[in-house]
Every structure is written in structure tokens, then in C-alpha cells.
Amino acid sequence: MSTRLLTLQVNGRKRETAAPAGAQLLEVLRDQLGLTGTKQGCDGGECGACTVLVDGQPRLACITLAASVEGRAIETIEGQSQGGALSPLQRAFHEHLGAQCGYCTPGMIMAAQALLRSDPHPSEERIREALSGNLCRCTGYVKIIESVRAAAGDPA
């Protein structure tokens, strides 16, 4: 199998890696760059656990070819905190128990982050719509929705 040298902009930092031709972004992030916060769920683009942002838009890393995002801004959950401090959205997930088991949380946070950037005060309907591609297999979405609303300044 041939490899290709990739130059990626991940969390504001230029990263170079040799990856197998046809490698998925998820593989490159986790296996080549050691960014394991992005989770591998269904591996078929159905659960949203692998959601990252590419140029600010949610993207499923398990069905995205790494080569197709070369030179574009990629954001992962690792890039959300600043100086070791949780982002307001991460803090809201923690304080409002939106994290639950935590497996789907990185994808939920990345999808919610994209929403809050485009709509800082979304309605509950918009939150549900933005997170509709992210599946939670634990207890449901109530705490997740409350967490996003809290991050948006809505006391829920």
C-alpha cells in the first residue's frame, strides 16, 4: 500500500504525517497524530461520534478522506480547551451532566460548537436539528440539550 505525505492544519497547528493512500481522516487524527478525542463509533457515518469541524462545519471523520481536507482548518475536541481550561461549551456539558458516558460527547460538542458559532442563541428546535446526526446510546438527549442551552446563556 502506498503512502502519501499530508500537511494538515489541526487545531490551528500545521501537522505533517505520512498516511496510507485513501486513509480516512479519523485514522489519521487518531493513529497518526495521536488525537484520540475524536471517537470511532459506527465507522459508517451514522452515529456522529467522529464529528470534527472542517472550515468550521461539522464533518464525519470516519467517511472523510484525509487527503480531501489537506490545507483546510480542522478542529477536534482537543482544540476546544484553551490553556488546559474547558471551553464554555465543555464546561456546560460537565456542569449540566451532558457528558453521560462520554463516548458521544466529543462529536456532540463539535456539532454544538458549529451551531453556536453560527447561531449564538439557538432555539431548542435548532439545537435538536444541529445534533440530529449525533447518536447518544446512554440515557437520552435531555441533559445534552440543556448543556447546549446553558452554553448559549439560556438557563433552560
Side-chain angles (χ1 to χ4, degrees), residues 72-137:
R72 298 172 71 183
I74 301 163
E75 295 175 67
T76 69
I77 192 69
E78 287 90 347
Q80 297 304 297
S81 63
Q82 297 295 318
L86 296 177
S87 72
L89 184 55
Q90 289 173 310
R91 195 171 40 257
F93 265 72
H94 174 71
E95 292 172 355
H96 293 268
L97 306 176
Q100 301 174 53
C101 88
Y103 201 80
C104 69
T105 304
M108 293 279 186
I109 287 176
M110 298 310 291
Q113 183 64 57
L115 170 65
L116 293 176
R117 286 182 185 161
S118 67
D119 184 356
H121 303 288
S123 66
E124 184 171 325
E125 182 180 359
R126 287 272 299 133
I127 296 169
R128 289 182 180 278
E129 179 184 320
L131 299 181
S132 64
N134 297 75
L135 300 179
C136 169
R137 293 180 173 94

Side-chain angles (χ1 to χ4, degrees), residues 20-65:
Q24 296 169 338
L25 180 58
L26 178 63
E27 297 172 74
V28 171
L29 291 172
R30 290 182 59 84
D31 302 338
Q32 311 284 193
L33 302 180
L35 298 170
T36 57
T38 303
K39 302 300 183 206
Q40 182 175 12
C42 67
D43 210 23
E46 296 178 10
C47 75
C50 65
T51 302
V52 297
L53 302 184
V54 175
D55 293 336
Q57 298 301 310
R59 190 89 169 253
L60 300 171
C62 75
I63 57 171
T64 298
L65 289 176

